Structures are given as structure tokens and as C-alpha cells.
Amino acid sequence: MSNSRRDFIKITSLSAAGLVFGGHYVHSAMQTKRIPLAGDGGPLRTPTYCEVCFWQCAGWVYKNDEGQIQKVIGNDDDQNCNGRLCPRGTGGVGMYYDEDRLKTPLLRVKGPDGKQTYKEVSWDEAFDFIAEKLQHIKKEHGPECTALFTHGSGGKYWGDLLKAFGSNNIAAPSYSQCRGPREVAFIATYGEGLNSPEPLDIRDTRCLVLIGSHLGENMHNGQVQEMSDAIDNGASIITVDPRYSTAASKSKFWLPIKPATDIALLLSWIREIINNEWYDKPYVEKYTFGFEELKNYIQPFTPEWAYGVTTIKPDQIRESAREMANAAPSVIIHPGRHVTWYGDDTQRLRAVAILNALLGSWGRRGGYYLPDKLSLPDYPHPEFPKITRTWRDAMNGKYKLADLALASGVCDATIPSPDLDCNIKGWIVNGTNLIMTLPDQKKTIDAINNLELLVVVDTMPMEITGYADVVLPECTYMERWDDLRVAPGRTPSIALRMPAAEPKYNSKPAYWMAKEVSKRLGLEEYFAWETFEEKLDWQLKQVGSSLEEMKRIGVKNLPREYGNLFYAENEEVDFYTNTGKIELYSTALEAEGFDPFPVYTPHMEPPEGYYHLNYGRAPMHTFSRTANNPNLTDLMDENTVWVNPKVAKEWGLQNGQPVYLQNQDGVVADFPVKVRVTERTRFDSVYIVHGFGHADKKLSRAYGKGASDSQLITRVLMDPVMGGTGMRGNFVTFLFEKESEVQS
């Protein structure tokens, strides 16, 4: 819909009189070539790996005698789950049976009354429209003016299509909105990042430090299981969190830190460990660079100084530092996953990396193991064309250390600016609800309204679908083939996903969609396989397996090729840094004009009557994508706002009382949220679980349930090192009714 502002269309309206039916839909849907299901009518158990979160645990889908999907369980041979799925994984069947699913392709049109609406179209019509728009963008602006946002397996195929088309603007919000600062910090320190799953030897650790990591609530399955084993074996847990989380309840130390002061605590811990000579002297001498400079730098950061900043008492700082040192090198200061908090996040994670290095935990049992991953060849295809312009052109030279595309950077490059050589004109959005994922919703919508093409590929009518020109219904992971899961771990492994049932409704897998669009763009040579099974079988045979074998076993664990799991005593190691050492003093950061050591900077305090907005996860939900799942809403159907009793008394709040949350910029959440009065959160903070407050009525179970933290995140604190979007600098207060309700 070039040169016109998009109306947000609630897909629920399509069931009313506003729906426009495509003239070819019924005929074309019946004529669409059937995608074969291997083992049709045969196996009652098929292998899969979970798509409910990024952990991608391997499992088995079971059907009854009538061929109906009944349950999914873990694969005993899978290192990610050890045969046990988490609540999200076992509830994945709900995705398949959810009657609110997207059912057929939709195209934005003007209805009889002149208003924008969607009409149901055939797959051919949808693909023809997309190809025509992409060709127009290529001709008028260049192929680099297209971009992909993705979270999920389907992104691989759309990414290949985009690279073949001539663009590598491929962004996952999980980088700049989640783990990016961590990756850059560890690369700057050790010469390599952590990836997923993180190589943490939790099962053998003697001390696990969780500083802002809600392990057990963010439900990283393998790590939660290993933490349970470690506790049974006598390991101590140190939890640093303004909230008394589930992990804090299992901890020897709970340090209820003042929000935005974590770097101060980390610097004080580093000082204690160095000044008391609790660090691993042989390890530090052999493997690190910049120790003496670090020792001089950290002298001002006493526990007494940190107490005045963090509110953690000096004796607690000293005792917890000693606890780590007594366990070293079998100690882990957990790097976290969602680490985009306050805008200084790369430096905070640098402090985490430094602390691990001082204690000698990198490459040591009970610390960080050395992962191995299979190198799986791609199915043969031509080289992708050389790219000359990218999202970086919109950044004016900033964020050179970011090693992946920034979703926020792609968004910025979409908003017209005379300084830009290439404004992005077309988005493909695969499996990520950008309206609730990217911070600053207003800017996201502004970017969307400047697009010439927005294609959304999803299983559910998430908010982002209401802004699309074309909506493509993807079938769930239980109904499709996908690329092999190739996971790093203690040993390399591969896992197979195959369909357990035919796709419901008129939904299709993303690989089929991308291949069909490639034909219309003249790029089919990049998808040269005839069937997806052919592609998988070819790849598997290159590594000594076959599709037939993987159908039987689901998961294959392979011998290590990288060497030992841990460093041998006095082993010579060349780290991929400028100095070949673990860089306590970062030459890479210094070369880009940043501080080589972590720096604590005081952050803004909440105005009177406002409180830090802290948000997190729940073990039965993944972001906003599971809020409508019929199996998982039974476990938790809305969030609550945690309020300290002192604050509740000041405001006269009672348990279960609905309130509206308003942030420092006057933005009020669309829906009220119930109060939970609890001493498990500090008096200067409130807490809510992320992913609720959906505004589309088509999500029949999630609509209007709880408050959306995403709406309230309008102040974004940009990380100057790599462009991560710090989202914890927002404050909220309470309203008992919205202004519009008062006026009415």
C-alpha cells in the first residue's frame, strides 16, 4: 500500500460484513498441490523439536489410532532436554488445536465502504502480489532496500530468499533486544560469543551466581534441570535481583539490589577478589591481558562505596565474593540472556566476563565448557550476490562491534531521512510480533507506515498482522518439515523435525512459501531441491546419516571434533582477541573509542509517585507468542503487577484490585492489571510478566488479559557500544480509571 498510511485491521473483523472474499479462493485452495506427509497413515510416533522457545528441545509427537495428535514428550537422547520437556513444550499441542489460528492468505484491500480490510486470496494471488512488489522495490530503490525480521525456523528460508534477491538486512529481535550486549562483551573478552544454548557446566558447578537471570522462570530447560542437580549436590546459589524470584528462593544469598546499579556491585566483587588474592593466580598469569591495569582501576570500588549505590550491605558483598572464590574454578557468574536493560549493558556484561576470568571458570569443569557443533553443509546452490548497502548505512558509523543486524537499526533505516542512501521499503516479518517486541511502539508503527510492502508470516493473528499488506498463515511446527536442528553442546548433535499431521486449514510451511516466491522472482536455483525430504537426506548423508535413520531415532549425538571439553592443565590456548589472551583490558573496545574497563554511571531515578518497571518471564509462557495457547492459558491467563506492601498502603491498594499503569511519558496501558501485594519486590519497583495485554479480539483467550509492558516502554536507552535497546529505564504509576472512562 505505497504512499498511504496503513490502518490497523483487527483480523476479527474479517468474520463480519467487512470481509471481502477473493473470487478465486475456493477453487485455488482446492487445487493447491498437496505437500506429502512422510509415513501417511503409518507411524503413531514422529520426531520433532520444539518451536515454543529458542531452546528447541527434541521430542516425539504421539497420535492416537485415528491419527489425531495427542501429546509431545522429550527425546531421551537429546542433550537439550534429557527426555523431559518444560510446561511450554508439553503445551505445544495447543498451538496445533488453537481454533484462533490464521487459516488462509489475506490481502489488504479497500472494502465497499472505502475502508481498508482484508480479503481471502489464493496462495498464487498472494505470491504474485509479493513478487510484483519486490520487483518494483528492486527497480526503484535497489534490492538492498528490503529486510527480514525473524524469530523461528522459517527465517532460514526467507533469509535465503532475501540474500538471493540481493539483501542481507536480516535481523532477529533476539539480538538487539535481548542477547546482543552479552555476545559483544564476551567476544571482546574471550574472542568468542556464547550463542544458544550457553555452554554452562551447571551440573558440576559449586556456585552459581544469577545476576538478573530469572533461571526457572525463563525456563531454559536444560539449565533448569542442571541447576536442580547442582543444588542436590550441594552447590550454592547467589541471586541478585530486586525481586524475590523463584531462583532467589533456592539461594544461599539473595541480594535485593537497587535497579540500575548492577555494575557497581560487579566492580566491588572484582575488587574484593583481587585485593584478597582470591583470584586464580596461575590461570590469570597464563591466560589474561591487563591484570595490573585492572587492579589499579578497581581500587575506588569498595564494598562501602557499593553499599551507597546498590543498598547491598558491605558484609554481604564480601561474604558473597568469598563464596564464589571458595568454589572457584567451579563457579559460574551467569551471563543471562535478556540483557538489554539500561544502555550500558555491554559494559555490565564485560564485568561479568571479567569476573569469570579472574575465578578461572572459562574452559574449566563446573564453569564454562568448550562447546562443539557439527558443520552441516548447505544443499548446493549458487553463491549469493555481493551486497553493497546494508542497514549499517543508516547508523552513521555507529555500532561497528555489533556482529549481527540490529532490528532497531533496520527500523531506523525504514524511516525516511535525506541522509540515507537506502531507505528500506519492504519488510518480511516471520514469526515475531514486532508490535510487542521492539521498544517504542510509536516508532515501529511510523516505520511500518513508510513501507511499500509488509509481509507477515505467522501461525497466529498477532498485532503485527493487522499492519500487513499480505498475511501468510504458517502451519505449526507439528505439521511441517524444517531444517535439521544443529545444536552446540558438550557433544555435537542433530535433530529432525517431520510433520506428524497434514497442515490444518489452508496453512503451509515457510520453506514452501519461500520456494514458491523464488520461482516468481527467477531465483528458484537457490531452492534447487525437488522435495524438502530430498534436501534433508542429502545433508544427512554428508555427515554419515540418512533421513531414514533420523526418522527412527530423532536425535543423533556425534563424537567431538573440537578437542577436549575443558582445558588441560597448563594447556597452551590462543584466544581470538587482538592480544591472543583473555582481555581484562579490552583493546577492541578501546580501538572503537570506548572504555576498556566497565564504568558505573548513575541512572535516572523515578519521579515522585513512580516506580521502576521491572518485567520478566513465566515458566509456562514464551514472550507474547503463547498467551493464547489453550493448554498454557489454563496455567496462567493474565499477568499481575507485584507491589510492595509499603507502596500498597500508600496508595490504598488491595490484592486483586484492577489498576491501570501509566509511564513517565503519560502512556497508559490499554487494559487494567490486577494488583498482587507482596514483599517479594522492592519498594521502589513493580514487576509484571511480559507478553500480556493483547489488543486483537481474534486472540479469544488473550484479548484484554493483563497489561502490556511493551506499551509502557517508550524510553529506550541505547547501548553506545553495539546498539542494544535498554528497556528498563521506564517508570510507572497507578491510575484507578483511564481518562477516557472519566470523561465518558
Side-chain angles (χ1 to χ4, degrees):
M1 312 307 290
S2 177
N3 301 320
S4 67
R5 186 174 181 85
R6 282 178 176 75
D7 295 332
F8 172 71
I9 303 173
K10 291 185 178 181
I11 289 183
T12 184
S13 67
L14 303 187
S15 61
L19 176 61
V20 178
F21 291 93
H24 300 92
Y25 166 59
V26 176
H27 172 76
S28 179
M30 294 173 63
Q31 296 298 317
T32 299
K33 183 179 178 182
R34 178 177 177 274
I35 300 169
L37 170 60
D40 266 356
L44 297 181
R45 184 180 86 159
T46 50
T48 192
Y49 57 87
C50 185
E51 191 78 5
V52 182
C53 85
F54 71 90
W55 210 257
Q56 294 189 322
C57 295
W60 298 102
V61 180
Y62 280 84
K63 298 181 288 186
N64 61 22
D65 292 337
E66 287 74 44
Q68 298 171 321
I69 293 176
Q70 285 193 313
K71 65 178 180 179
V72 57
I73 67 171
N75 188 315
D76 290 339
D77 293 327
D78 183 37
Q79 299 175 67
N80 285 17
C81 74
N82 306 304
R84 292 175 286 174
L85 297 185
C86 74
R88 302 172 188 175
T90 56
V93 177
M95 298 171 62
Y96 172 72
Y97 284 110
D98 193 338
E99 67 277 7
D100 292 341
R101 285 172 52 175
L102 294 168
K103 296 178 174 64
T104 197
L106 303 172
L107 180 67
R108 180 182 292 263
V109 296
K110 284 189 176 180
D113 57 0
K115 293 183 179 179
Q116 295 177 19
T117 185
Y118 285 121
K119 74 171 182 178
E120 295 179 343
V121 294
S122 70
W123 283 101
D124 285 340
E125 289 175 287
F127 293 150
D128 288 346
F129 179 89
I130 293 167
E132 180 183 346
K133 287 290 185 180
L134 286 174
Q135 294 286 34
H136 175 78
I137 291 171
K138 182 176 183 177
K139 179 181 177 181
E140 296 295 322
H141 310 287
E144 303 94 340
C145 293
T146 54
L148 168 68
F149 295 87
T150 183
H151 192 283
S153 303
K156 172 63 167 62
Y157 322 116
W158 292 109
D160 284 350
L161 178 69
L162 208 67
K163 287 184 284 187
F165 186 65
S167 172
N168 67 354
N169 295 317
I170 301 170
S174 60
Y175 184 73
S176 56
Q177 278 68 61
C178 197
R179 62 185 176 86
R182 181 193 79 179
E183 297 302 299
V184 172
F186 272 70
I187 291 170
T189 307
Y190 297 99
E192 57 185 295
L194 296 173
N195 300 310
S196 300
E198 298 82 6
L200 307 178
D201 189 28
I202 296 176
R203 69 186 184 191
D204 290 326
T205 198
R206 296 175 57 209
C207 178
L208 176 62
V209 182
L210 303 173
I211 180 161
S213 176
H214 303 150
L215 196 55
E217 294 173 338
N218 56 17
M219 208 55 242
H220 297 170
N221 189 359
Q223 290 187 8
V224 173
Q225 292 184 35
E226 290 200 12
M227 182 173 74
S228 177
D229 292 341
I231 292 172
D232 289 344
N233 292 330
S236 59
I237 311 294
I238 300 171
T239 297
V240 182
D241 200 315
R243 181 177 62 97
Y244 190 70
S245 63
T246 301
S249 70
K250 311 298 181 185
S251 300
K252 183 173 182 178
F253 293 90
W254 171 47
L255 307 180
I257 194 168
K258 180 181 178 181
T261 66
D262 301 74
I263 291 180
L265 175 61
L266 288 160
L267 290 171
S268 188
W269 271 342
I270 291 171
R271 181 186 184 277
E272 284 301 292
I273 284 168
I274 289 178
N275 284 9
N276 289 294
E277 299 188 350
W278 292 339
Y279 61 94
D280 189 325
K281 293 180 182 178
Y283 185 97
V284 168
E285 181 177 350
K286 185 175 183 62
Y287 293 130
T288 70
F289 170 81
F291 175 77
E292 290 300 326
E293 292 88 343
L294 176 64
K295 182 176 181 180
N296 292 331
Y297 173 73
I298 51 85
Q299 291 310 311
F301 308 125
T302 65
E304 286 72 24
W305 167 82
Y307 173 46
V309 176
T310 66
T311 72
I312 306 300
K313 294 179 180 179
D315 62 331
Q316 293 177 312
I317 294 174
R318 292 188 175 95
E319 289 172 14
S320 53
R322 184 190 295 272
E323 187 77 17
M324 297 178 220
N326 288 341
S330 296
V331 58
I332 300 169
I333 294 82
H334 198 293
R337 174 112 185 150
H338 175 69
V339 298
T340 46
W341 298 356
Y342 305 116
D344 52 8
D345 306 301
T346 301
Q347 292 289 20
R348 186 181 78 255
L349 273 297
R350 271 274 296 148
V352 169
I354 289 169
L355 192 53
N356 279 297
L358 291 173
L359 295 167
S361 67
W362 185 268
R364 309 287 282 280
R365 185 175 296 279
Y368 289 70
Y369 65 79
L370 307 174
D372 200 0
K373 182 179 180 180
L374 176 71
S375 179
L376 186 73
D378 279 338
Y379 193 88
H381 62 74
E383 287 190 17
F384 293 119
K386 186 177 180 180
I387 307 300
T388 58
R389 299 182 296 176
T390 73
W391 63 273
R392 289 187 185 274
D393 297 327
M395 299 292 99
N396 298 317
K398 295 186 293 184
Y399 315 135
K400 292 180 181 178
L401 293 178
D403 57 331
L404 295 174
L406 302 176
S408 52
V410 172
C411 190
D412 289 342
T414 306
I415 298 173
S417 168
D419 299 328
L420 294 183
D421 180 39
C422 172
N423 274 121
I424 292 175
K425 299 295 184 180
W427 288 3
I428 299 172
V429 180
N430 173 82
T432 180
N433 186 13
L434 296 183
I435 303 302
M436 297 186 76
T437 300
L438 295 179
D440 194 347
Q441 289 184 4
K442 183 177 181 298
K443 187 171 80 168
T444 303
I445 294 170
D446 186 21
I448 288 171
N449 281 321
N450 283 286
L451 290 170
E452 294 182 11
L453 173 67
L454 174 56
V455 180
V456 175
V457 185
D458 213 316
T459 60
M460 297 296 297
M462 297 297 188
E463 282 77 1
I464 185 64
T465 59
Y467 295 93
D469 295 312
V470 186
V471 179
L472 303 180
E474 185 180 27
C475 56
T476 68
Y477 75 93
M478 294 184 181
E479 303 162 282
R480 67 185 193 234
W481 297 100
D482 260 316
D483 270 7
L484 297 163
R485 188 208 73 187
V486 183
R490 292 180 172 90
T491 62
S493 70
I494 50 178
L496 176 69
R497 173 185 289 160
M498 67 177 286
E502 288 290 337
K504 290 174 77 72
Y505 311 112
N506 193 22
S507 63
K508 302 292 181 187
Y511 73 79
W512 179 82
M513 301 181 202
K515 183 177 174 71
E516 288 297 310
V517 175
S518 78
K519 295 175 182 177
R520 290 158 171 81
L521 296 173
L523 302 172
E524 59 267 35
E525 60 186 342
Y526 292 91
F527 299 83
W529 31 269
E530 187 65 28
T531 66
F532 206 76
E533 297 96 305
E534 173 194 333
K535 173 183 184 290
L536 294 175
D537 196 46
W538 182 90
Q539 289 181 298
L540 286 165
K541 285 177 178 174
Q542 308 310 302
V543 295
S545 183
S546 67
L547 185 56
E548 180 183 0
E549 178 188 38
M550 291 301 296
K551 286 179 182 178
R552 287 188 283 104
I553 63 176
V555 171
K556 190 176 181 70
N557 295 307
L558 302 163
R560 285 183 63 91
E561 296 181 357
Y562 180 71
N564 295 324
L565 192 59
F566 305 107
Y567 296 142
E569 192 72 25
N570 295 318
E571 180 178 346
E572 295 297 326
V573 180
D574 187 18
F575 295 88
Y576 297 111
T577 60
N578 293 334
T579 61
K581 301 279 189 179
I582 298 171
E583 293 201 351
L584 308 177
Y585 183 106
S586 174
T587 60
L589 290 177
E590 184 180 47
E592 293 298 326
F594 301 111
D595 293 297
F597 293 127
V599 175
Y600 169 70
T601 303
H603 288 273
M604 187 180 297
E605 300 282 350
E608 185 175 355
Y610 283 75
Y611 308 90
H612 289 276
L613 174 62
N614 295 329
Y615 55 86
R617 308 284 186 249
M620 67 291 292
H621 283 295
T622 301
F623 315 123
S624 64
R625 66 194 304 176
T626 60
N628 201 70
N629 184 304
N631 292 10
L632 300 179
T633 54
D634 281 349
L635 301 177
M636 181 182 185
D637 64 350
E638 63 182 323
N639 57 8
T640 59
V641 57
W642 293 27
V643 179
N644 184 275
K646 176 182 176 181
V647 175
K649 184 176 180 181
E650 290 175 355
W651 284 83
L653 301 175
Q654 303 294 322
N655 264 320
Q657 178 180 352
V659 295
Y660 289 92
L661 298 180
Q662 174 180 287
N663 79 355
Q664 71 285 335
D665 296 323
V667 173
V668 182
D670 283 342
F671 303 106
V673 61
K674 294 175 183 176
V675 170
R676 178 183 178 183
V677 181
T678 175
E679 293 183 355
R680 292 175 60 181
T681 188
R682 284 174 56 103
F683 64 89
D684 54 4
S685 307
V686 299
Y687 170 81
I688 60 176
V689 171
H690 169 70
F692 289 88
H694 285 272
D696 196 322
K697 291 182 179 179
K698 185 61 179 174
L699 297 168
S700 61
R701 300 171 195 85
Y703 172 74
K705 294 293 184 71
S708 167
D709 57 313
S710 301
Q711 278 190 290
L712 302 168
I713 297 172
T714 55
R715 178 185 294 144
V716 181
L717 306 174
M718 296 297 294
D719 187 321
V721 178
M722 57 67 60
T725 50
M727 294 181 274
R728 293 182 183 260
N730 292 271
F731 314 117
V732 295
T733 190
F734 308 106
L735 298 179
F736 295 101
E737 50 189 356
K738 295 180 77 169
E739 183 178 348
S740 59
E741 294 177 353
V742 174
Q743 292 173 348
S744 64

